[in-house]
Every structure is written in structure tokens, then in C-alpha cells.
Amino acid sequence: MPLLDRLLLPLFCLLLAFYHPLVFALKTDTNQATKLSSDRADFNDVTQEYILTGHVVIIKGSIVIKGAKAVVTVDPEGYQQITVVGNADQLASFTQQLDKPDPEFMDGEGDLIFYEAKKNQLLLSGQAYTNRRKGLQSIDKLVADKINYDLYTEEYSAVSKELNKPTRTVLAPRKNTKFELQNTKK
């Protein structure tokens, strides 16, 4: 790879990593109760820790997080920290409705999803991606090793560990056009 390309590629990836659309999550999500569902649940009221295993579904307003296992802790102020992992069959996933006149949604997956209610942020790690969509039509996609996602402001921060495996973003035209992220390995 030529020197100029090696210098410009990280700069381009950094600029794309801080891209954020001008849409916002549903403001009512933060005031909603958190509903937990799983095949098995173990609770410790002293430590305020809840361990969920098997077909985990966590719902908070329009936010839906799914996975194979989850650990939910509640701090003394009442804020939740939720760690969800996938398994060999399925990655951990989330969906959230955005505050738009025509409903749009943000979807994401990763080996691990960490939700911190106090900061209203998600961290997606390992095979991480986000996809903003209207109905079934993708609008914007982001792929990286780690994605920090602010659920309220829709701001992203994306990082990939290796230079030869950069973050990848697709910004779709606003017409009905299908697109896919292409494998950038040569």
C-alpha cells in the first residue's frame, strides 16, 4: 500500500467514525421501565444483580436487546448496567425506534453489548455493526470491532483494531437504492 494511502486511510476512517445523522432516539425511552425475559433468571437483591440465561429479551421503551445471556446490575442511584452476550448461533442484538415523523429504526449486533443507562450509551464489541433503516430499507451502515453509540443523540464512535481491517461505513443515497458493505480485503 503506498505511503499516501496508508496515511489517508486512517484519517478517512476516523472522520467516518464520528459521523452522526441528525435524528434522535425517542425521548420517552429513558423514562420507561425495563422489562426482563429469559429461560432462567437468578436474582440477588442484596447486590442488585440479575443473571438471565437463554433467549434473553430486555425491553426499555422502544429499545429491545436480545442475546443468550445477560447480567443486569443496578447501582445505588437506580441506574442499570446491562451486559448481553450472544452465543455460537446468534450475536447479541438491539433495535431502537428513532424520533422521526416516518418511523426509522437503529439496529445493531455484536458479540457483546453493554448498555449503561446513566450515560444512555451502548457499546457493541466484536463483529459489531449498526444499521439505520426505514422499514426494511437500509439508510446507513457502520461496521467495526467496537462501536460506542449514544442512544439519545445518535452519535457514534467506531474503532477497529487492525490497520488492514478499517471501520467501514456506507451512507446510502436518499433514493430507494439497495446497497451492501463489500469485503474490502484484497
Side-chain angles (χ1 to χ4, degrees):
M1 179 183 289
L3 178 61
L4 183 59
D5 287 348
R6 286 195 345 235
L7 294 174
L8 290 178
L9 181 61
L11 177 62
F12 179 70
C13 290
L14 182 64
L15 290 173
L16 286 178
F18 290 102
Y19 160 78
H20 64 279
L22 297 175
V23 295
F24 297 97
L26 288 178
K27 293 169 182 60
T28 58
D29 284 346
T30 57
N31 299 325
Q32 298 294 318
T34 302
K35 300 172 187 171
L36 310 173
S37 172
S38 62
D39 293 340
R40 179 183 167 109
D42 295 303
F43 303 106
N44 184 329
D45 283 336
V46 174
T47 61
Q48 290 293 289
E49 184 175 77
Y50 306 86
I51 298 172
L52 311 170
T53 53
H55 302 98
V56 174
V57 178
I58 300 169
I59 300 171
K60 183 172 177 74
S62 74
I63 303 166
V64 179
I65 304 173
K66 296 180 180 181
K69 181 177 180 179
V71 177
V72 179
T73 57
V74 181
D75 71 15
E77 296 176 65
Y79 290 105
Q80 301 154 1
Q81 292 183 336
I82 302 171
T83 303
V84 180
V85 295
N87 60 21
D89 298 327
Q90 185 177 12
L91 296 172
S93 66
F94 85 94
T95 299
Q96 179 185 32
Q97 184 176 346
L98 304 177
D99 200 2
K100 300 279 285 176
D102 293 332
E104 288 184 12
F105 296 87
M106 182 64 69
D107 302 317
E109 284 188 343
D111 294 328
L112 177 137
I113 295 177
F114 177 71
Y115 168 67
E116 189 170 7
K118 189 172 194 174
K119 294 181 181 178
N120 210 21
Q121 293 187 345
L122 276 176
L123 167 69
L124 294 91
S125 179
Q127 303 182 60
Y129 88 87
T130 59
N131 177 38
R132 187 165 62 107
R133 65 180 169 83
K134 184 181 281 190
L136 297 176
Q137 178 188 354
S138 291
I139 298 172
D140 302 312
K141 290 185 179 183
L142 175 62
V143 177
D145 289 325
K146 289 184 181 180
I147 300 172
N148 287 308
Y149 171 64
D150 187 306
L151 289 164
Y152 184 73
T153 65
E154 288 282 314
E155 293 180 3
Y156 303 85
S157 170
V159 177
S160 283
K161 299 174 188 174
E162 302 171 31
L163 183 60
N164 63 352
K165 187 182 170 193
T167 62
R168 296 178 290 149
T169 304
V170 174
L171 306 175
R174 296 303 172 218
K175 292 184 179 184
N176 291 337
T177 303
K178 291 185 178 184
F179 65 93
E180 291 297 322
L181 284 174
Q182 300 297 319
N183 189 343
T184 58
K185 293 182 182 178
K186 292 185 178 180

